[in-house]
Structures are given as C-alpha cells and as structure tokens.
Amino acid sequence: MTASLIWQKSTYSQEQGECVELAADRGAVLLRESDEPTVVLTTTPRALARFLQGIKVGRPGG
C-alpha cells in the first residue's frame, strides 16, 4: 500500500465522522472506517460489486 492513496468518502457518510472511505491501489479496492484509518480491508472491484448488488436485493452476505 502506498502513502499517496486518495481516499474518497461515501456520500452516505456523516459529516461528524462515521465515514466509510474507499481508495484504489493497483487494481484492488481498499475500504476503511474513518474512526479506524489503520484498519484497511482489501477486495477486488468485482467482489465489491457482487457484495453491493447482494445488499441491494437483500441477500445476506452479498
């Protein structure tokens, strides 16, 4: 992971914190919670898209 990552806050996040942030790094998608910025989850764009689609249709676990 590089120090020059550009983190983007979710449009659904609160102004006072409690933010979900995403960044891209060499084909991977990185996710973190603004209150714990050192804890980073890594996934692929395809896996994240499947997970989000599963949430939209109500499937547990994506």
Side-chain angles (χ1 to χ4, degrees), residues 1 5 7 19 21 30-41:
M1 208 172 355
L5 291 173
W7 291 94
C19 302
E21 300 173 324
L30 309 176
L31 299 102
R32 71 180 183 183
E33 216 278 35
S34 61
D35 291 342
E36 295 285 341
T38 60
V39 178
V40 178
L41 302 176

Side-chain angles (χ1 to χ4, degrees), residues 12 49-59 62:
Y12 291 100
R50 283 182 38 216
F51 176 73
L52 294 174
Q53 185 61 33
I55 290 171
K56 289 179 184 179
V57 299
R59 283 188 312 212

Side-chain angles (χ1 to χ4, degrees), residues 11-30:
T11 57
Y12 291 100
S13 294
Q14 305 277 330
E15 287 297 322
Q16 302 86 357
E18 301 176 14
C19 302
V20 174
E21 300 173 324
L22 289 98
D25 186 33
R26 295 171 281 184
V29 178
L30 309 176

